[in-house]
């Protein structure tokens, strides 16, 4: 939470997927995440392992991509993944996405209504995936993370993001505080979230270029990050539960930004 958000013997059996030993490879599973990867021109896909039912869902995308397909049984996929992984008959071996740069994705975008989410050492892959999904739904340009304190952009993030990992760029930066300075120089208003802030988010104008800054689960924003925000804001939560999970907080903040933008004449 943030402080505001705190061989042979197998002959005749279906081919068994091999583990991806290459650190530059990613294993993605689930219909939405696999289909999004197959249709993303920036994503290089290697092999698709699919059951009959699973393949039917992504056949067109796999054909257009020219990806190699291997038919397997459902049990084969289940054994390849953790027990809680809902693969929906699909497992894709792909290359990691090319690194996205702050300049190309955010700073060089047309000014006026740029919206980004910045995560200060959010390390839970489920939270990152959920934030990516909300960012896609509410039109954020990118999600910015610190490269050494964020989860790997693999299967768990992709599945939770329900395809958004291949639709919303994740920009990895070395220093969040310095990135906030760059954004402010480019005309962004930077808003940090804290449950004890004096201002509610609805009191801020979110119709221009805005960066929503969310802190790590449990610890919230670090001091230098807080100091580089133009303003600290909070969500209008009840006193008995002043903070939300970071992914929920991000969804509420993104909704408010979208609401204001649509309401603006």
């Amino acid at each position: 939470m943030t402080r505001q958000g705190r061989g042979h013997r197998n002959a005749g059996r279906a081919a068994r997927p091999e583990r991806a030993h290459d650190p530059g490879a990613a294993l993605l599973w689930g219909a939405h995440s696999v289909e999004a990867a197959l249709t993303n021109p920036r994503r290089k896909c290697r092999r698709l392992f699919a059951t009959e039912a699973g393949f039917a869902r992504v056949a067109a995308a796999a054909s257009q991509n020219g990806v190699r397909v291997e038919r397997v049984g459902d049990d084969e996929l289940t054994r390849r993944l953790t027990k809680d992984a809902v693969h929906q008959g699909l497992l894709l071996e792909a290359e990691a996405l090319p690194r996205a740069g702050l300049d190309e994705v955010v700073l060089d975008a047309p000014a006026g209504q740029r919206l980004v989410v910045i995560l200060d050492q959010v390390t839970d892959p489920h939270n990152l995936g959920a934030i990516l999904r909300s960012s896609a739904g509410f039109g954020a340009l990118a999600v910015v993370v610190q490269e050494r304190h964020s989860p790997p952009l693999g299967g768990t993030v992709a599945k939770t993001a329900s395809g958004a990992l291949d639709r919303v760029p994740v920009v990895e930066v070395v220093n969040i505080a310095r990135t906030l300075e760059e954004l402010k120089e480019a005309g962004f208003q930077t808003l940090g979230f804290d449950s004890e802030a004096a201002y509610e988010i609805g009191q801020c104008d979110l119709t221009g270029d805005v960066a929503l800054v969310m802190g790590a689960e449990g610890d919230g924003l670090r001091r230098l990050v807080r100091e580089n925000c133009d303003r600290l804001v909070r969500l209008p939560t009840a006193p008995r539960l002043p903070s939300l999970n970071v992914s929920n907080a991000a969804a509420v903040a993104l909704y408010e930004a979208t609401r204001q933008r649509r309401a603006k004449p």
Side-chain angles (χ1 to χ4, degrees):
M1 296 176 72
T2 63
R3 289 185 64 186
Q4 172 63 56
R6 259 329 129 225
H8 290 294
R9 64 180 178 183
N10 292 327
R13 294 182 58 191
R16 183 180 179 86
E18 298 175 2
R19 292 190 183 275
H21 296 289
D22 184 350
L27 290 179
L28 310 176
W29 59 87
H32 292 298
S33 56
V34 168
E35 184 173 25
L38 288 170
T39 56
N40 181 1
R42 299 178 68 245
R43 175 82 78 172
K44 293 183 179 180
C45 301
R46 297 176 178 177
R47 290 185 299 178
L48 174 65
F49 303 98
T51 64
E52 291 296 327
F55 180 70
R57 302 183 67 167
V58 299
S63 177
Q64 292 175 5
N65 188 286
V67 65
R68 172 186 169 192
V69 180
E70 296 184 32
R71 304 297 179 89
V72 297
D74 188 81
D75 289 346
E76 293 294 326
L77 296 184
T78 300
R79 281 195 287 269
R80 294 303 304 162
L81 299 167
T82 59
K83 292 182 179 180
D84 60 344
V86 183
H87 56 71
Q88 298 175 296
L90 293 165
L91 175 62
L92 176 69
E93 182 183 305
E95 293 187 14
L97 286 167
R99 190 179 182 117
L102 186 69
D103 287 348
E104 62 175 311
V105 174
V106 178
L107 300 180
D108 291 344
Q113 287 192 317
R114 293 173 293 184
L115 178 63
V116 298
V117 178
I118 300 182
L119 304 180
D120 183 25
Q121 298 193 340
V122 171
T123 58
D124 188 313
H126 297 93
N127 280 334
L128 177 55
I131 291 168
L132 281 165
R133 187 172 185 176
S134 295
S135 296
F138 292 112
L141 279 177
V143 172
V144 180
V145 302
Q146 188 171 17
E147 62 179 15
R148 291 191 178 182
H149 296 279
S150 63
L153 303 179
T156 300
V157 170
K159 183 65 171 67
T160 309
S162 195
L165 176 60
D166 279 86
R167 296 189 175 100
V168 177
V170 177
V171 178
E172 297 177 291
V173 299
V174 175
N175 188 296
I176 295 292
R178 189 175 302 127
T179 297
L180 290 174
E181 292 176 355
E182 290 183 63
L183 290 171
K184 288 192 288 187
E185 290 174 0
F188 276 80
Q189 176 186 195
T190 57
L191 301 175
F193 284 75
D194 190 310
S195 60
E196 299 177 359
Y199 296 93
E200 287 189 3
I201 187 174
Q203 296 174 288
C204 302
D205 183 355
L206 306 179
T207 60
D209 295 323
V210 176
L212 305 173
V213 191
M214 303 282 173
E217 302 94 343
D219 296 330
L221 299 173
R222 290 171 296 158
R223 181 180 59 82
L224 285 178
V225 174
R226 290 166 60 89
E227 292 176 355
N228 276 280
C229 291
D230 292 317
R231 178 179 290 184
L232 296 179
V233 297
R234 58 184 170 85
L235 300 179
T237 53
R240 65 179 179 273
L241 189 64
S243 65
L244 298 178
N245 172 277
V246 64
S247 62
N248 294 328
V252 174
L254 286 163
Y255 165 77
E256 175 62 18
T258 301
R259 185 194 67 79
Q260 289 190 23
R261 291 161 190 242
R262 290 179 176 175
K264 186 175 181 179

